[in-house]
């Protein structure tokens, strides 16, 4: 949901949890990836997962996941 640009409040509503819980989870994820902002988090995830798949010739499925090249 972060990659979709949703706010903590939007994520909390969609998951039925508190806004502070969302923030705590995001802080934990960002700490583990050594990033300090949502922008850096998106860039890190793109660089680790999407870019290598795209450069290998994979195409995204209708759900946004990259499938192995045919």
């Amino acid at each position: 949901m972060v990659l979709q640009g949703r706010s903590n409040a939007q994520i909390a509503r969609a998951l039925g949890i508190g806004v502070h819980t969302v923030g705590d989870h995001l802080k934990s994820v960002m700490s583990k990836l050594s990033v300090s902002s949502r922008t850096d988090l998106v860039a890190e995830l793109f660089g680790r997962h999407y870019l290598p798949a795209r450069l290998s010739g994979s195409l995204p499925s209708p759900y946004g996941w990259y499938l192995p090249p045919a």
Side-chain angles (χ1 to χ4, degrees), residues 30-42:
M30 291 192 296
S31 174
K32 289 176 183 180
L33 294 175
S34 298
V35 298
S36 58
S37 70
R38 291 170 84 97
T39 302
D40 291 343
L41 176 61
V42 170

Side-chain angles (χ1 to χ4, degrees), residues 45-66:
L45 293 174
F46 178 80
R48 282 189 187 204
H49 299 284
Y50 289 94
L51 185 59
R54 190 65 190 112
L55 293 176
S56 73
S58 296
L59 297 174
S61 74
Y63 305 103
W65 297 103
Y66 278 84

